[in-house]
Amino acid sequence: PVVTTLNGQPCVKFTWHQSAYDGTRLARGTEGCGPQQYQKEGWYGFYIYLPDPGYPKNKTAGIGQLFASNSACNSWAAMFNMVNTDLRVSHRGNCGTPTDALVYSNFPRNRWVSIVAHFVVSHLNAGKFEVFIDGVSKYNATGINFGYDTWTSGDALQAPHALNPKWGQYDYDAGNFTAGEIRTSYYTNVNEIAGNPSGALSYILNPVPGAIGPIIYPAESAVVAGGTVIEATNAGFNGTGYANFPTTGGTLTFNNVNGGSGGTKTVIIRYALALPARTGQLVVNGVATNITFDNTGGPWTTWATKTVTVNLNGGTGNSIQLKSTGQDYGNIDEITVQ
């Protein structure tokens, strides 16, 4: 690992070279290990940046885990895996077959993305494992067994047995290695919190106000209502789709928007509009203003951006909504908050 700066953000760069692989487990990647010892409940998260090109889209690798450093089998209890272009999570309550689930398809590249886990260990089906991406819950398993080894009467791991956080590259898909390949990833704002204190998610997302640069919120991760739909008909969008509105009453709501330390922020809206200008509403934390989108200069596959200035509260308790009010709307691909 190398301490560096990426787009103005201090971070750690992890690089794995296939040419250095000697057939041993220790040569399958490079990881960082945290000091926290989790016996019952906790939060663990980080921001990750996967470059394209630079990090492959046809490989399988671990990018973070909770390691069960104990006598049962000395292996992982939870693992975040990049599988081709998707983020998946595996978790287990013993050293056997895990529960494996899709968390986020077409995981974003070339931007900082936050991954946060909130978990409760248990061997009495009272456990929990929840995953947040950019502050939005994308996976939540409850009533599960999670973690393994010696237990206390309170259904917690008996010290010194515990779960320990790790992050970095674990490139274990040896059968799919390509000669000469290099895999590069970046991490920043790695945080570990024991228990479940108030504000844990907000702290992990933004422990130092303004530390993280622009954050992109794709339309497909927002809440649609009133007839708005996510579709992928017209090419040129980022991610897996864009929002198409009805003439009136359609909404696209981005919740848990990170306002950093609060105050004036810039919102960049990526959209396509092949017809004359249309006016709708921009609703920020319940306050509505009119917003007009101009023709983007081509067919519906021609995308452009519109920049607006808004006031956001500190932390991740903000909402930004786009609403059609009689003139339809442009097709919305994503918004960037900076």
Side-chain angles (χ1 to χ4, degrees):
V2 177
V3 176
T4 185
T5 300
L6 179 66
N7 296 341
Q9 176 64 32
C11 59
V12 177
K13 178 182 179 180
F14 291 83
T15 307
W16 176 80
H17 299 254
Q18 180 277 332
S19 59
Y21 180 61
D22 61 4
T24 66
R25 179 186 180 280
L26 290 178
R28 290 178 179 173
T30 178
E31 297 176 317
C33 301
Q36 184 64 55
Q37 302 283 307
Y38 294 108
Q39 261 90 34
K40 183 58 181 178
E41 182 174 11
W43 292 76
Y44 155 58
F46 49 81
Y47 279 79
I48 186 172
Y49 187 110
L50 299 180
D52 181 23
Y55 192 90
K57 293 183 176 180
N58 60 343
K59 308 290 183 178
T60 296
I63 60 172
Q65 63 177 285
L66 285 167
F67 192 82
S69 54
N70 52 46
S71 61
C73 66
N74 207 45
S75 184
W76 55 269
M79 176 86 77
F80 288 113
N81 293 300
M82 285 302 305
V83 180
N84 299 323
T85 60
D86 299 335
L87 175 67
R88 303 187 68 89
V89 66
S90 292
H91 56 83
R92 54 189 179 175
N94 55 55
C95 237
T97 302
T99 295
D100 180 80
L102 174 67
V103 176
Y104 202 101
S105 61
N106 292 306
F107 193 77
R109 304 297 177 106
N110 295 329
R111 74 169 176 91
W112 288 110
V113 183
S114 66
I115 301 175
V116 179
H118 175 214
F119 53 90
V120 178
V121 304
S122 174
H123 73 312
L124 300 175
N125 292 311
K128 171 188 177 73
F129 200 89
E130 185 172 11
V131 182
F132 299 82
I133 303 297
D134 283 337
V136 179
S137 179
K138 293 296 184 179
Y139 175 76
N140 189 12
T142 58
I144 62 172
N145 287 330
F146 178 54
Y148 43 85
D149 209 290
T150 305
W151 297 88
T152 69
S153 59
D155 196 25
L157 288 172
Q158 177 71 58
H161 308 302
L163 301 184
N164 305 102
K166 292 187 176 184
W167 61 95
Q169 294 194 38
Y170 180 29
D171 301 301
Y172 58 85
D173 60 336
N176 196 29
F177 288 171
T178 302
E181 71 168 297
I182 299 174
R183 306 182 189 181
T184 301
S185 56
Y186 301 84
Y187 291 77
T188 194
N189 283 10
V190 180
N191 277 278
E192 312 160 17
I193 302 175
N196 187 26
S198 176
L201 178 61
S202 294
Y203 177 81
I204 292 179
L205 290 175
N206 204 36
V208 180
I212 294 296
I215 299 177
I216 300 175
Y217 298 89
E220 59 268 31
S221 71
V223 177
V224 296
T228 301
V229 296
I230 300 297
E231 63 181 33
T233 305
N234 301 308
F237 56 86
N238 296 327
T240 59
Y242 56 85
N244 189 351
F245 293 74
T247 301
T248 190
T251 59
L252 178 71
T253 306
F254 299 89
N255 294 313
N256 304 113
V257 174
N258 195 333
S261 56
T264 301
K265 303 294 177 183
T266 298
V267 176
I268 303 171
I269 306 170
R270 189 172 191 263
Y271 75 101
L273 179 56
L275 298 173
R278 292 174 172 177
T279 298
Q281 284 188 339
L282 174 68
V283 186
V284 179
N285 293 332
V287 179
T289 57
N290 289 336
I291 182 172
T292 299
F293 291 90
D294 296 323
N295 181 287
T296 52
W300 288 100
T301 54
T302 300
W303 299 84
T305 59
K306 182 177 181 64
T307 300
V308 296
T309 300
V310 302
N311 287 315
L312 297 180
N313 301 320
T316 59
N318 297 282
S319 68
I320 296 178
Q321 182 184 85
L322 303 175
K323 182 177 182 179
S324 60
T325 56
Q327 296 185 19
D328 202 333
Y329 223 85
N331 289 341
I332 304 299
D333 182 27
E334 62 190 22
I335 66 172
T336 300
V337 179
Q338 61 184 28

